[in-house]
Amino acid sequence: MATVELRFSALPEHVRTARLVAAAVARRAGVDESVLDELRLAVGEACSRAVALHQRNGVDGAVRVALTEQEKRFLIEVADEAGPTHAAGADATGGDSEDEDALGLAVITGLVEDVEVGNGSDGGVIRMSWPLSPVSITV
Amino acid sequence: MDLSLSTRTVGDRTVVEVGGEIDVYTAPKLREQLVELVNDGNYHLVVDMEGVDFLDSTGLGVLVGGLKRVRAHEGSLRLVCNQERILKIFRITGLTKVFPIHNSVDEAVAATD
């Protein structure tokens, strides 16, 4: 089970909330302060992409963000419910939204060493993970 | 934190000062502002990003869109940014090669290349 799980309607105004929650949970889990900015950005990109896929495919639904504290890593999964065939949008005119999708993925893969982009029956899933710092006890 | 936008004219340049967070929710406001400026005949833009706390790919997309618009009128779009975490996003997407990025508004306004 995820440490914290968040589901939100696929709307742009909720992406900021997802960023803030992910960063707060990651900080508490012991992800190094120096990578929290990158983590926040990567989660935002994954959520923005999910929201855009819903809008482009004209599908209602939710974006699920699962934040899981593992023994040595902090795992984040962002799943959409925009349907299995994202390629359908790619056949269109290839306007600004396609450019932004490519830019979003470029940012994620540029920032995160461990990242996997997958497709399920309901939609896509982006899995990312970061190392947890060795336990530090603050008194 | 929302997005703040203000514009002023310096010589033949229009400076757009942006503050706050540019993301999937707020980027459309920046897009509208840039489109409006170009439609009103302002083709030499300087986007001052010193007050920006957060920028994502949606924001990058809007800036690229702005650049395309001013270039259609043989204009220019220059950025002012000194923040490492923002510059990093331009670097990993290769956009440092697309945008002239300056250290100050004065430098951007004076640039002519």
Side-chain angles (χ1 to χ4, degrees):
Chain A
M1 185 196 149
T3 309
V4 171
E5 195 170 300
L6 178 73
R7 273 171 66 84
F8 63 91
S9 308
L11 296 170
E13 54 264 48
H14 304 310
V15 171
R16 180 169 189 266
T17 305
R19 286 201 302 269
L20 297 178
V21 170
V25 176
R27 176 182 281 123
R28 199 184 179 290
V31 174
D32 199 82
E33 286 288 330
S34 64
V35 298
L36 284 178
D37 267 344
E38 294 174 10
L39 181 147
R40 185 183 297 120
L41 179 57
V43 170
E45 292 292 353
C47 291
S48 303
R49 181 171 184 268
V51 168
L53 289 171
H54 277 264
Q55 292 186 336
R56 206 182 309 158
N57 294 353
V59 186
D60 287 337
V63 178
R64 184 180 66 92
V65 183
L67 309 161
T68 309
E69 189 181 337
Q70 300 174 328
E71 198 181 335
K72 291 185 175 168
R73 302 200 59 94
F74 186 74
L75 175 69
I76 300 182
E77 289 177 297
V78 177
D80 63 70
E81 297 174 349
T85 53
H86 297 159
D91 294 334
T93 50
D96 285 355
S97 61
E98 298 293 333
D99 290 350
E100 281 170 16
D101 190 30
L103 273 178
L105 281 178
V107 170
I108 293 172
T109 53
L111 285 177
V112 189
E113 272 179 40
D114 179 34
V115 58
E116 189 187 314
V117 182
N119 263 306
S121 54
D122 295 337
V125 185
I126 295 182
R127 286 187 191 84
M128 306 173 276
S129 83
W130 286 265
L132 291 176
S133 311
V135 177
S136 60
I137 298 170
T138 49
V139 181
Chain B
M1 177 68 75
D2 210 342
L3 182 74
S4 68
L5 294 168
S6 69
T7 62
R8 65 183 191 275
T9 305
V10 182
D12 65 342
R13 311 290 165 96
T14 304
V15 180
V16 184
E17 198 178 304
V18 189
E21 302 190 338
I22 312 176
D23 76 350
V24 66
Y25 179 54
T26 62
K29 289 177 204 160
L30 178 61
R31 179 184 285 123
E32 279 168 30
Q33 174 78 84
L34 296 179
V35 168
E36 194 182 308
L37 286 170
V38 173
N39 287 346
D40 290 346
N42 304 285
Y43 304 140
H44 292 281
L45 307 180
V46 173
V47 179
D48 179 1
M49 306 187 57
E50 283 301 272
V52 172
D53 302 311
F54 182 88
L55 172 74
D56 74 3
S57 64
T58 326
L60 293 176
V62 168
L63 292 171
V64 171
L67 184 66
K68 285 182 185 166
R69 283 191 177 84
V70 294
R71 279 192 177 162
H73 299 278
E74 281 158 31
S76 62
L77 192 156
R78 298 170 182 281
L79 303 177
V80 176
C81 182
N82 289 298
Q83 302 185 66
E84 184 49 37
R85 61 179 177 174
I86 304 282
L87 290 170
K88 184 176 183 177
I89 304 164
F90 283 95
R91 273 201 297 275
I92 59 180
T93 50
L95 289 175
T96 44
K97 298 186 188 79
V98 175
F99 290 103
I101 302 179
H102 300 275
N103 290 317
S104 68
V105 171
D106 286 349
E107 189 187 300
V109 166
T112 54
D113 53 73

